[in-house]
Amino acid sequence: MAASGKTDMSFLAHIGELRGNLIRSVIAVVLTSIGVAFFWDELVEYVIMAPLKSTFPTFDWFNAFGQLTGFGVIYKESFDISKDLTNLNPSGQITSQFFAIIVCGVILAIPYIIYELWKFISPALKDSERKYAGATILAVSFFFILGVLFSYFLLIPLCTQFLFTYDPFNVGNTWTLPSYIDLFVQLLLSMGLMFLLPVFVYFLTSIGVLTPMFLRTYRKHAFIVVLVIAAAITPNDLYSMILVTIPLWILYEFSILVSNRVYNNQLEAESREIVKK
C-alpha cells in the first residue's frame, strides 16, 4: 500500500477527515436544492407530474412500438392522473415539496458526493488504483443516473398508469399527493442505487471478496435475491416486479462479465510478477 500522510492518521483523525467530507457533501446538496427550488414551477410541470400524463414521451414510444409490431395503439385514451391527486394532511403539500426538492438536489449533487467519498478512501489505495479516480467517479455517476433515468422514463409512468387505472371492483382509485411523491422518490433512489451493482462487483472482485466463479455458481440464488429486492422497492404488484427484475438481472449478468475481466487481469498481473522473480 502506498505511503501517505493520511495512512498513519489516528482513528479520531480519520473521523475528523470524514466529517469534513460529509459537511462539504451536505453543503453541495443544500446548494443544488436551492437551485432546484428556484425552478420549482418548471420542476413540478415538466418533471414530477409529467409521468402522470398521457403526453409523456414513454407512452408515445409504446404506442409507436405497438403500431410498428402490429399490436396497434397501446394507450388509446388520454389521461392526466395529476388532476386526480388529493391532499388529506395539512402539512402534506409542504412536506412533499421539501422532500422532492431535497431528493432532486441529492441526485444533481451525486458526482460531487462521490468525489468527496473518493477523496476520503483514496489515501488507503495503491498508486495504481488511485490513478483511476476519474474513471471511478464517472462510472458511479453514470450507473446511478442510468438507474434514475430508467425509473423515471419507464418504471414510474408505466407503474402509476397501471396501478391507477386498475379497477377490478369498479370503485375508482384516489391517490394522495404524499403517497405519489413517496413512490416517486422511492423508485428514483432505489433504482439509482441498484444500478450500482456492477461498480460494487468491480470493487469487491478487486479486493478479493468476489470471484466470477462464485457469481456463476450462485446464479439461481441471486435470482431469488433479485426477486426479493424487486418486491421490496416496488408497490408490490406483479407488473412492477417484472419491470424491475428484468434490468436487475441484466445488471447481474453484466456484473459477472465485469468480475471475470477484473479477475483475469489480476491473474495476468500475478503471472507477470512471477516471471519477473
Side-chain angles (χ1 to χ4, degrees):
M1 186 172 293
S4 174
K6 293 184 179 180
T7 56
D8 297 327
M9 293 167 60
S10 65
F11 175 76
L12 292 179
H14 279 294
I15 295 298
E17 186 74 16
L18 177 60
R19 182 178 61 181
N21 296 115
L22 293 177
I23 290 175
R24 288 189 291 273
S25 296
V26 170
I27 292 174
V29 171
V30 170
L31 293 177
T32 53
S33 298
I34 292 175
V36 167
F38 275 110
F39 297 94
W40 173 251
D41 291 338
E42 291 79 7
L43 180 68
V44 172
E45 178 72 18
Y46 302 111
V47 179
I48 298 178
M49 295 301 179
L52 299 177
K53 303 174 184 179
S54 58
T55 54
F56 195 64
T58 300
F59 301 113
D60 292 333
W61 299 339
F62 272 81
N63 285 336
F65 175 78
Q67 291 179 319
L68 184 64
T69 55
F71 286 100
V73 178
I74 299 175
Y75 298 97
K76 299 179 181 179
E77 299 181 2
S78 60
F79 56 86
D80 186 354
I81 300 174
S82 64
K83 293 182 178 180
D84 296 312
L85 296 180
T86 186
N87 178 52
L88 303 177
N89 190 327
S91 63
Q93 295 220 32
I94 188 171
T95 302
S96 298
Q97 181 185 29
F98 180 78
F99 194 26
I101 288 175
I102 292 298
V103 170
C104 290
V106 169
I107 292 174
L108 292 177
I110 277 296
Y112 183 78
I113 294 174
I114 299 302
Y115 169 71
E116 286 293 339
L117 178 61
W118 180 266
K119 282 177 60 179
F120 176 72
I121 66 174
S122 61
L125 302 176
K126 299 177 182 179
D127 291 334
S128 59
E129 297 169 333
R130 199 178 297 122
K131 68 180 181 180
Y132 295 111
T136 301
I137 296 172
L138 181 62
V140 174
S141 301
F142 170 77
F143 281 105
F144 181 84
I145 297 300
L146 185 63
V148 169
L149 292 177
F150 169 83
S151 182
Y152 182 72
F153 282 103
L154 284 178
L155 197 55
I156 292 176
L158 297 181
C159 288
T160 52
Q161 192 278 338
F162 171 76
L163 293 174
F164 191 83
T165 58
Y166 188 74
D167 187 19
F169 294 97
N170 296 317
V171 297
N173 292 311
T174 300
W175 288 6
T176 63
L177 174 66
S179 65
Y180 169 66
I181 295 299
D182 288 344
L183 178 64
F184 181 86
V185 169
Q186 175 186 333
L187 293 179
L188 284 184
L189 294 184
S190 58
M191 291 306 295
L193 292 175
M194 291 309 304
F195 267 59
L196 293 178
L197 178 62
V199 179
F200 288 129
V201 168
Y202 175 89
F203 174 74
L204 293 176
T205 304
S206 298
I207 63 177
V209 175
L210 278 181
T211 64
M213 290 77 73
F214 177 87
L215 295 174
R216 293 192 187 99
T217 301
Y218 292 95
R219 184 183 265 120
K220 295 180 180 179
H221 302 78
F223 184 72
I224 301 300
V225 173
V226 167
L227 290 178
V228 172
I229 293 174
I233 65 179
T234 59
N236 294 328
D237 63 288
L238 184 60
Y239 182 67
S240 302
M241 285 182 59
I242 294 174
L243 287 177
V244 172
T245 299
I246 293 174
L248 290 187
W249 188 248
I250 292 175
L251 283 172
Y252 184 83
E253 294 295 335
F254 177 70
S255 297
I256 293 178
L257 298 178
V258 171
S259 179
N260 189 68
R261 178 67 179 272
V262 175
Y263 187 75
N264 288 336
N265 288 342
Q266 290 175 335
L267 292 180
E268 292 177 3
E270 291 177 0
S271 299
R272 287 194 295 268
E273 289 296 326
I274 293 175
V275 170
K276 290 180 180 180
K277 294 179 180 180

